[in-house]
């Protein structure tokens, strides 16, 4: 049932806290509001040797989150110029006052919510850097753990994760070259959603400091920060994300667990911190041939990042057979090129075939001049290409099927199988901006709701903008086409023999480079636009938000990156006409394929865009983080401050200072986009470049270690996020797989010479003698008489310019080949889909077994609880007449202890002391 939000909600605190109320506060803090002036005094910094542990100054309170802002040392925060007229206050000063007011309200709300706060400030000659350290007390953690439906362990299990190569190596009795023992392997657990009134049932509940993991504490703190208002909710004045965008704070992050470099005195692997384990056994370059420690990554960074690296490692492993087969096909092309009869005819033809000009200003040329280029084309255009296209289409289908199995296994092991349906909460931005409330049909809880009709209108408006941006890309593509034609004319007029002979090649190569530059520029512009549109569409959960953003950006990037290869593969040279009747675009003759054919141009385009983009990205990922990190440290650690620290004996930085010097983690979208675009290049156009999987494999080996180093060494620690899979990227990969089958069918049929050669072998001669003359047509007589010369051009036409019977026969063969190729590949792919179940049989049995054990445990616990209640009741009835004589004798301690424990945590469950919820174990293995 829908209901509109009441007006009072506009100023309400999302955590249900009233700052002026006299009720109990979470934690052990006083109710005095925080004054910003207190946070601004650099004198509060104690000039002693600082500890590198992530704790408050008391040495025991853990730091769960850090807020940072910077200020000018000359500013006197806390002093309001109320006496001066508003017109006399400069605009920059008013902005500073607004930010100070928002910051003060926000920090007071955090204190009212029960967070422990400690303040530090560091000053140099240019600015003051303020650090606010946050800690969530036990009661706050328990309240939000139940509210967020965090899963906590009931029983520990040994970690049984393994890889197929390990199992094969064990059966063969040989050591595994890819496996390595990583210390401090996380355990598996039977888990269920946390309930405060059943705290004693959970494993380690008596250890408050270690009961919640560091990633769970970070999630709880981020939830509080993201939902705490500091102004009017309808104006979106809520949450730390808005404050970061308004420069109220410059950073908000959890801390890494110490430095990543292993100290000399800490040689025992078991004594390493989680961050040091990841650096030693994952992020180092010498570990390129080892399996990734996925469970360690998940424990430190969360499921979302761990699933990305699991997918990237799985994809890289599957690229190995594709790269091997592609390399063998390329090597076969080398041998076929050396013995190719048409190539020998072209190279030995000398002046036998005089070709018509390729453009209006281009000269006539001899067919023998393209000897080397024609041979290069034979490296990719031969019978092995057909086999490799079919192989890669089936490879892509099989890869996705087995990834579904891997994803299901990891989601079950990491407790996120039902995350999107049950556990995922609405986004904080959606919660504050949604106009009404509605009951969730799955959980039954009342949640913020945005009308579907309004969202559809916004989505349609966004689609119109996407179409406009795609039109811009098409305009740039047309400009690239015109650029190639103009450059060909200019180079042909240059008079230099070398340039004139390579005019078409130079135009094509420079056009590819210009196209790559346009692609990179348009990508940056559109991603910023897609962010704005997706926020405006008001998606309920973070998963839906990311899926919508992913769809927008990928549609644009697909057109942006693939438009030029698609044009070369399927349109270039198709609408040229013939000598004397050339077709034009904007007054310029339509572009024809180069002397070596369109397939070699397509391979060149793929190598420039795919390999060039990979090289640029890898250089950026190596150089730019280093430069940004150096600049950040240079700004924060000035010479004046270094000298002061040396005088005061501050040898080691505080952990919040060293973490602030790191770079902001910008998420996984760019990483996924890069890999998915790469997947498209190696599947959609693989018939033109069998070496594409090899280049992708080499790039991904580097990519895994680069990304690992960024997350472990160069980025601030991101807030751990849960995820059920790789999101909408999987469905995009499925669409690309189907497009790849269609694309390769058309590529082989219309761009390759495979079918014309096959037709010539069956209708003329099997050794391809005379094939070159068979593919060349004579220029029409009126064109020859006008130019006083007879020339040839590549087409199946008669001397009048009309299509010959051979053309129509080949067209029928090509269309038939496309139909047969698609049906055969899609049929085999469907068979593979049916043969490979999405969930492994062993996992299905395990899930059923756990459900059975959960029901059995629930029945036993209910029976045990009922027996205890009966025993307690009977004991109380028997001893009732003797209470005055035997006070406390025969008292049963177990039920009393249970009741005491329950009542102790009732306040932590809700500020209003809400009724306790019934405990329903949903035990699952991670």
């Amino acid at each position: 049932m829908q209901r509109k939000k009441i007006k009072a909600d506009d100023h309400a605190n999302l955590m249900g806290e009233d700052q002026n109320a006299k009720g109990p506060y979470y934690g052990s803090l006083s109710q005095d509001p925080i004054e910003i002036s207190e946070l601004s005094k650099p004198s509060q910094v104690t000039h002693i040797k600082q500890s590198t542990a992530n704790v408050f100054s008391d040495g025991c309170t853990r730091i769960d989150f850090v807020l940072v802002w910077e200020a000018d040392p000359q500013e006197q925060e806390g002093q309001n110029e109320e006496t001066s007229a508003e017109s006399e206050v400069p605009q920059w000063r008013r902005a500073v006052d607004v930010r100070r007011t928002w910051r003060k309200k926000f920090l007071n709300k955090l204190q009212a919510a029960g967070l422990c706060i400690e303040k530090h400030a560091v000053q140099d000659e240019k600015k003051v850097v303020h650090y606010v350290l946050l800690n969530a007390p036990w009661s706050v953690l328990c309240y939000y753990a139940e509210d967020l439906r965090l899963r906590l362990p009931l029983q520990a299990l040994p970690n049984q994760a393994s890889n197929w190569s390990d199992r094969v190596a064990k059966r063969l009795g040989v050591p595994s070259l890819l496996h390595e023992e990583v210390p401090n392997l996380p355990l598996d657990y039977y888990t269920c959603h946390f309930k405060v009134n059943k705290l004693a049932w959970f494993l380690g509940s008596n250890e408050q400091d270690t009961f919640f993991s560091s990633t769970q504490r970070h999630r709880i703190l981020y939830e509080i920060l993201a939902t705490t208002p500091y102004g009017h909710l309808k104006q979106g004045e809520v949450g730390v994300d808005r404050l970061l965008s308004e420069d109220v704070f410059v950073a908000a992050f959890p801390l890494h667990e110490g430095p990543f470099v292993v100290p000399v005195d800490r040689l025992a692997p078991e004594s390493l911190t989680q961050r040091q384990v990841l650096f030693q056994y994952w992020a180092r370059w010498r570990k390129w041939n080892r399996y990734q420690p996925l469970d360690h990554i998940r424990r430190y960074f969360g499921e979302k990042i761990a699933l990305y690296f699991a997918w990237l490692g799985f994809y890289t492993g599957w690229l190995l057979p594709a790269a091997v087969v592609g390399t063998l096909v390329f090597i076969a092309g080398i041998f076929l090129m050396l013995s190719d009869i048409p190539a020998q005819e072209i190279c030995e033809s000398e002046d036998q075939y005089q070709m018509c000009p390729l453009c209006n200003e281009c000269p006539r040329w001899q067919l023998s001049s393209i000897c080397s280029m024609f041979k290069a084309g034979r490296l990719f255009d031969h019978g092995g290409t057909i086999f490799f296209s079919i192989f890669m289409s089936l490879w892509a289908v099989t890869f996705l099927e087995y990834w579904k199995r891997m994803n299901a296994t990891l989601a079950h092991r990491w407790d996120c199988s039902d995350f999107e349906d049950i556990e995922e909460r609405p986004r904080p931005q959606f919660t504050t901006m949604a106009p009404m409330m509605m009951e969730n049909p799955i959980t039954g809880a009342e949640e913020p709701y945005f009308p579907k009709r309004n969202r559809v209108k916004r989505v349609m408006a966004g689609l119109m903008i996407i179409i406009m941006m795609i039109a811009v890309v098409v305009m740039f593509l047309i400009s690239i086409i015109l650029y190639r034609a103009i450059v060909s004319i200019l180079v042909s007029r240059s008079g230099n023999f070398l340039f004139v002979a390579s005019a078409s090649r130079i135009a094509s190569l420079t056009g590819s480079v210009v196209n790559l530059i346009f692609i990179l520029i348009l990508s940056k512009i559109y991603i910023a636009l897609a962010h704005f549109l997706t926020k405006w569409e008001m998606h309920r959960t973070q998963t839906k938000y990311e899926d919508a953003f992913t769809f927008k950006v990928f549609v644009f990037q697909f057109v942006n990156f693939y438009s030029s290869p698609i044009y070369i593969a399927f349109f270039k040279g198709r609408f040229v006409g013939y000598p004397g009747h050339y077709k034009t675009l904007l007054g310029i003759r339509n572009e024809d394929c180069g002397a070596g054919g369109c397939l070699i141009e397509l391979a060149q385009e793929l190598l420039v865009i795919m390999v060039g983009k990979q090289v640029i990205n890898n250089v950026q990922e190596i150089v730019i983080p280093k430069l940004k990190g150096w600049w950040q440290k240079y700004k924060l650690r000035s010479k004046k401050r270094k000298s002061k620290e040396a005088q005061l004996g501050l040898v080691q930085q505080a952990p919040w200072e060293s973490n602030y010097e790191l770079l902001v983690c910008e998420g996984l979208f760019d990483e996924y986009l890069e890999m998915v675009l790469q997947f498209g290049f190696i599947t959609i156009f693989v018939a033109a470049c069998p070496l594409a999987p090899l280049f992708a494999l080499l790039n991904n080996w580097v990519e895994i270690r680069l990304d690992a180093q960024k997350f472990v060494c160069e980025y601030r620690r991101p807030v751990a996020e849960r995820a059920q899979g790789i999101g909408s990227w999987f469905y995009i990969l499925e669409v690309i797989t189907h497009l790849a089958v269609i694309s390769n069918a058309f590529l082989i049929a219309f761009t390759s010479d495979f079918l014309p050669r096959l037709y010539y072998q069956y209708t003329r001669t099997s050794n391809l003698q005379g094939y070159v003359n068979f593919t060349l047509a004579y220029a029409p007589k009126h064109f020859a008489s006008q130019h006083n010369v007879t020339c040839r051009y590549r087409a199946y036409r008669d001397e009048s310019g009309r299509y010959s019977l051979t053309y129509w026969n080949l067209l029928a063969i090509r269309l038939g080949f496309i139909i047969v190729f698609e049906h055969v590949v899609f049929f085999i792919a469907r068979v593979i889909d049916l043969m490979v179940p999405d969930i492994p049989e062993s996992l299905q049995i395990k899930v059923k077994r756990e459900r059975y054990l959960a029901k059995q445990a629930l029945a036993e616990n209910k029976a045990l609880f009922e027996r205890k209640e009966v025993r307690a009741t009977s004991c109380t009835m028997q001893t009732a007449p003797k209470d005055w004589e035997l006070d406390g004798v025969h008292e049963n301690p177990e039920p009393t202890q249970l009741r005491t424990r329950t009542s102790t945590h009732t306040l932590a469950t809700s500020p209003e002391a809400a009724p306790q919820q019934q405990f329903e174990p949903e035990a699952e293995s991670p």
Side-chain angles (χ1 to χ4, degrees):
M1 182 175 179
Q2 302 177 9
R3 71 172 180 87
K4 289 188 176 181
K5 287 186 176 179
I6 59 176
K7 292 183 179 180
D9 291 347
D10 188 35
H11 300 278
N13 189 323
L14 297 181
M15 293 175 292
E17 288 293 324
D18 185 1
Q19 185 178 335
N20 300 320
K22 297 182 179 180
Y25 279 72
Y26 295 140
S28 57
L29 294 176
S30 65
Q31 300 178 15
D32 299 331
I34 297 175
E35 293 295 335
I36 299 300
S37 57
E38 297 178 8
L39 299 174
S40 308
K41 298 176 182 177
S43 59
Q44 288 186 351
V45 180
T46 307
H47 296 293
I48 61 175
K49 208 165 194 176
Q50 300 186 26
S51 170
T52 57
N54 296 344
V55 293
F56 281 17
S57 298
D58 59 9
C60 59
T61 305
R62 294 179 57 172
I63 301 173
D64 295 322
F65 227 87
V66 179
L67 300 177
V68 185
W69 82 87
E70 298 178 355
D72 192 327
Q74 304 301 323
E75 292 180 11
Q76 297 295 326
E77 287 194 348
Q79 297 180 3
N80 296 323
E81 301 176 3
E82 298 177 355
T83 57
S84 61
E86 185 178 353
S87 58
E88 298 177 0
V89 180
Q91 185 175 0
W92 69 267
R93 184 65 196 182
R94 287 199 297 268
V96 170
D97 292 339
V98 170
R99 288 196 290 267
R100 184 192 308 120
T101 303
W102 283 354
R103 189 159 52 235
K104 179 178 179 179
K105 289 181 179 180
F106 186 74
L107 293 174
N108 285 335
K109 287 291 183 70
L110 294 182
Q111 189 180 37
L115 298 186
C116 297
I117 299 177
E118 183 172 284
K119 292 84 65 179
H120 292 265
V122 178
Q123 182 176 355
D124 60 17
E125 70 274 13
K126 294 183 179 179
K127 60 186 171 184
V128 182
V129 182
H130 302 271
Y131 300 93
V132 178
L133 314 182
L134 304 177
N135 167 268
W138 171 253
S139 53
V140 177
L141 292 173
C142 290
Y143 171 66
Y144 278 95
E146 184 166 345
D147 189 47
L148 293 173
R149 297 174 63 85
L150 296 185
R151 304 189 72 93
L152 287 157
L154 294 171
Q155 180 182 351
L157 300 170
N159 193 319
Q160 300 177 350
S162 63
N163 293 285
W164 66 269
S165 63
D166 296 338
R167 296 191 292 268
V168 172
K170 288 179 180 178
R171 290 179 182 177
L172 298 177
V174 297
S176 176
L177 300 177
L178 303 177
H179 177 71
E180 183 179 23
E181 291 294 335
V182 182
N184 303 326
L185 182 65
L187 296 173
D188 279 349
Y189 296 98
Y190 284 119
T191 65
C192 72
H193 294 131
F194 178 75
K195 298 284 179 66
V196 175
N197 57 0
K198 300 299 180 184
L199 179 64
W201 290 30
F202 292 95
L203 193 65
S205 58
N206 56 337
E207 297 290 339
Q208 295 185 4
D209 291 338
T210 58
F211 180 63
F212 294 102
S213 66
S214 60
T215 54
Q216 289 172 335
R217 297 174 73 101
H218 299 162
R219 286 181 59 201
I220 290 172
L221 262 293
Y222 181 74
E223 178 69 18
I224 296 174
L225 294 173
T227 56
T228 299
Y230 54 90
H232 297 281
L233 297 183
K234 287 187 177 179
Q235 296 178 9
E237 295 175 354
V238 59
V240 71
D241 292 329
R242 173 73 183 274
L243 293 174
L244 289 170
S245 65
E246 298 286 351
D247 293 329
V248 177
F249 294 105
V250 294
F253 53 89
L255 294 178
H256 278 291
E257 294 189 3
F260 62 86
V261 179
V262 180
V264 179
D265 56 345
R266 190 178 295 179
L267 300 178
E270 293 75 15
S271 64
L272 301 179
T273 64
Q274 295 182 32
R275 189 184 186 192
Q276 290 169 345
V277 168
L278 290 176
F279 176 72
Q280 288 291 112
Y281 295 89
W282 178 46
R284 308 189 75 171
W285 288 103
R286 66 183 183 186
K287 303 296 180 182
W288 66 271
N289 61 335
R290 300 292 186 181
Y291 281 123
Q292 300 181 89
L294 296 178
D295 289 304
H296 293 76
I297 299 171
R298 178 245 180 176
R299 181 175 62 180
Y300 192 74
F301 290 113
E303 289 81 5
K304 191 172 187 177
I305 292 176
L307 280 170
Y308 162 72
F309 281 104
W311 176 82
L312 180 58
F314 190 81
Y315 169 51
T316 304
W318 273 73
L319 278 175
L320 185 59
V324 170
V325 175
T327 305
L328 293 177
V329 169
F330 180 77
I331 294 173
I334 295 176
F335 290 101
L336 292 174
M337 175 194 69
L338 298 176
S339 60
D340 186 57
I341 300 298
Q344 295 174 4
E345 289 184 351
I346 290 176
C347 294
E348 297 171 358
S349 62
E350 296 182 353
D351 299 334
Q352 182 178 356
Y353 301 109
Q354 187 176 23
M355 306 298 292
C356 298
L358 292 175
C359 64
N360 291 333
E361 303 294 332
C362 298
R364 292 181 292 275
W365 51 283
Q366 298 296 329
L367 186 62
S368 58
S369 64
I370 66 165
C371 173
S372 58
M373 186 62 64
F374 187 84
K375 286 185 175 181
R378 289 299 295 154
L379 293 173
F380 310 110
D381 190 3
H382 54 84
T385 304
I386 311 298
F387 162 75
F388 191 55
S389 300
I390 297 175
F391 172 82
M392 287 302 296
S393 299
L394 300 180
W395 171 90
V397 172
T398 311
F399 159 69
L400 293 180
E401 288 300 317
Y402 275 91
W403 166 248
K404 283 194 284 188
R405 293 165 59 89
M406 178 75 170
N407 190 18
T409 303
L410 292 176
H412 178 263
R413 195 167 88 214
W414 292 344
D415 268 354
C416 44
S417 299
D418 301 324
F419 171 71
E420 294 180 8
D421 296 330
I422 298 176
E423 298 179 37
E424 190 170 19
R425 292 164 54 87
R427 297 170 59 240
Q429 296 84 349
F430 177 84
T431 302
T432 58
M433 302 298 291
M436 59 182 63
M437 305 291 290
M438 185 176 182
E439 184 179 290
N440 188 316
I442 298 176
T443 63
E446 196 173 59
E447 294 180 350
Y449 176 75
F450 189 79
K452 187 176 294 184
R453 181 179 299 177
N454 294 353
R455 180 180 293 112
V456 170
K457 292 179 181 178
R458 296 188 178 190
V459 170
M460 294 304 295
L463 286 177
M464 296 299 104
I465 297 178
I466 294 174
I467 293 173
M468 290 175 57
M469 290 299 298
I470 292 176
V472 172
V473 175
V474 174
M475 290 171 58
F476 274 105
L477 176 62
I478 294 175
S479 67
I480 293 295
I481 296 172
L482 297 177
Y483 166 85
R484 287 176 179 148
I486 294 172
V487 169
S488 295
I489 295 174
L490 295 177
V491 173
S492 299
R493 289 178 176 178
S494 64
N496 189 310
F497 175 76
L498 294 177
F499 285 170
V500 170
S502 307
S504 178
R505 207 176 313 161
I506 293 173
S508 178
L509 183 60
T510 57
S512 300
V513 175
V514 173
N515 184 51
L516 177 61
I517 296 172
F518 278 149
I519 285 173
L520 297 178
I521 294 175
L522 289 176
S523 298
K524 298 294 183 183
I525 298 173
Y526 182 76
I527 287 176
L529 179 62
H531 270 297
F532 171 78
L533 291 175
T534 311
K535 290 178 182 177
W536 182 58
E537 290 170 1
M538 290 289 291
H539 294 280
R540 175 181 168 272
T541 63
Q542 185 66 22
T543 299
K544 291 182 179 179
Y545 173 88
E546 291 177 355
D547 289 348
F549 176 74
T550 299
F551 170 76
K552 288 183 183 63
V553 176
F554 183 78
V555 168
F556 175 79
Q557 297 286 38
F558 182 89
V559 178
N560 198 12
F561 276 92
Y562 297 145
S563 57
S564 183
I566 288 174
Y567 163 74
I568 294 174
F570 305 119
F571 297 99
K572 186 176 182 180
R574 303 283 181 264
F575 312 101
V576 178
Y578 57 93
H581 291 81
Y582 289 116
K583 298 179 181 178
T584 60
L585 174 66
L586 301 178
I588 299 177
R589 174 180 158 183
N590 286 352
E591 193 177 19
D592 198 356
C593 291
C598 279
L599 199 66
I600 189 64
E601 286 192 41
L602 178 59
Q604 170 188 290
E605 185 81 4
L606 291 177
L607 291 176
V608 169
I609 295 179
M610 177 184 166
V611 179
K613 184 176 183 299
Q614 290 178 352
V615 171
I616 291 174
N617 286 342
N618 288 334
V619 170
Q620 287 179 340
E621 291 182 7
I622 294 173
V623 176
I624 292 181
K626 300 291 184 185
L627 294 177
K628 286 183 177 180
W630 172 83
W631 179 247
Q632 179 80 347
K633 293 177 182 178
Y634 174 78
K635 290 191 301 181
L636 294 175
R637 298 183 61 78
S638 62
K639 295 180 181 179
K640 181 178 178 181
R641 186 183 162 197
K642 287 180 181 178
S643 61
K644 284 185 177 181
E645 290 179 351
Q647 294 174 4
L648 296 168
L650 296 178
V651 179
Q652 293 178 315
Q653 271 186 304
W656 48 88
E657 294 181 42
S658 59
N659 278 250
Y660 181 50
E661 292 178 352
L662 301 177
L663 303 178
V664 178
C665 179
E666 299 177 351
L668 297 170
F669 177 81
D670 290 336
E671 313 297 339
Y672 273 120
L673 180 63
E674 179 185 355
M675 291 298 105
V676 172
L677 289 174
Q678 180 198 89
F679 182 84
F681 280 121
I682 69 170
T683 53
I684 296 178
F685 305 106
V686 72
C689 188
L691 290 178
L694 177 62
F695 290 122
L697 176 64
L698 297 175
N699 173 79
N700 289 7
W701 269 337
V702 176
E703 184 74 23
I704 290 176
R705 303 306 153 186
L706 275 179
D707 289 346
Q709 284 195 351
K710 286 191 301 184
F711 278 95
V712 175
C713 307
E714 297 171 357
Y715 283 167
R716 295 171 193 159
R717 188 174 183 179
V719 178
E721 296 183 63
R722 288 172 62 77
Q724 195 170 328
I726 62 174
S728 59
W729 293 111
F730 178 80
Y731 304 107
I732 291 174
L733 292 173
E734 284 190 322
V735 172
I736 290 177
T737 301
H738 288 83
L739 287 177
V741 177
I742 300 172
S743 171
N744 285 305
F746 276 89
L747 202 60
I748 295 169
F750 286 97
T751 309
S752 169
D753 273 348
F754 174 75
L755 292 181
R757 284 171 176 255
L758 201 62
Y759 174 79
Y760 185 83
Q761 286 179 315
Y762 279 94
T763 58
R764 302 291 197 280
T765 175
S766 60
N767 61 4
L768 292 177
Q769 290 285 348
Y771 174 75
V772 174
N773 186 62
F774 170 73
T775 60
L776 299 178
Y778 286 94
K781 294 181 178 179
H782 64 86
F783 181 85
S785 60
Q786 183 179 356
H787 293 82
N788 297 322
V789 67
T790 300
C791 61
R792 310 287 294 272
Y793 64 101
R794 292 198 63 176
Y796 297 101
R797 294 176 182 267
D798 55 24
E799 292 186 359
S800 63
R802 290 192 296 265
Y803 286 118
S804 64
L805 180 62
T806 302
Y807 170 83
W808 298 109
N809 291 337
L810 278 174
L811 180 62
I813 293 172
R814 284 167 168 161
L815 295 176
F817 172 82
I818 291 172
I819 295 173
V820 173
F821 183 91
E822 290 179 356
H823 280 68
V824 169
V825 175
F826 281 133
F827 173 76
I828 299 176
R830 182 59 181 166
V831 171
I832 294 174
D833 188 12
L834 295 175
M835 292 178 61
V836 181
D838 294 347
I839 301 177
E841 184 179 359
S842 59
L843 180 59
Q844 293 178 350
I845 295 173
K846 189 176 182 181
V847 171
K848 292 177 182 179
R849 173 68 176 168
E850 289 169 3
R851 289 177 180 173
Y852 168 76
L853 292 176
K855 292 180 180 178
Q856 192 176 32
L858 179 62
E860 291 177 356
N861 287 328
K862 283 185 176 180
L864 178 62
F865 188 74
E866 290 174 357
R867 286 200 299 270
K868 287 184 177 181
E869 282 189 337
V870 171
R871 191 182 308 157
T873 305
S874 62
C875 187
T876 303
M877 293 177 61
Q878 292 174 3
T879 59
K882 301 179 181 180
D883 278 346
W884 296 103
E885 300 177 9
L886 303 173
D887 187 16
V889 180
H890 304 299
E891 186 177 305
N892 188 356
E894 293 183 358
T896 305
Q897 186 181 4
L898 179 60
R899 285 195 296 271
T900 303
R901 184 175 295 142
T902 302
S903 61
T904 300
H905 297 286
T906 302
L907 265 180
T909 307
S910 170
E912 295 79 17
Q916 298 178 7
Q917 304 179 31
Q918 294 297 321
F919 182 67
E920 299 177 1
E922 301 175 37
E924 291 187 9
S925 173

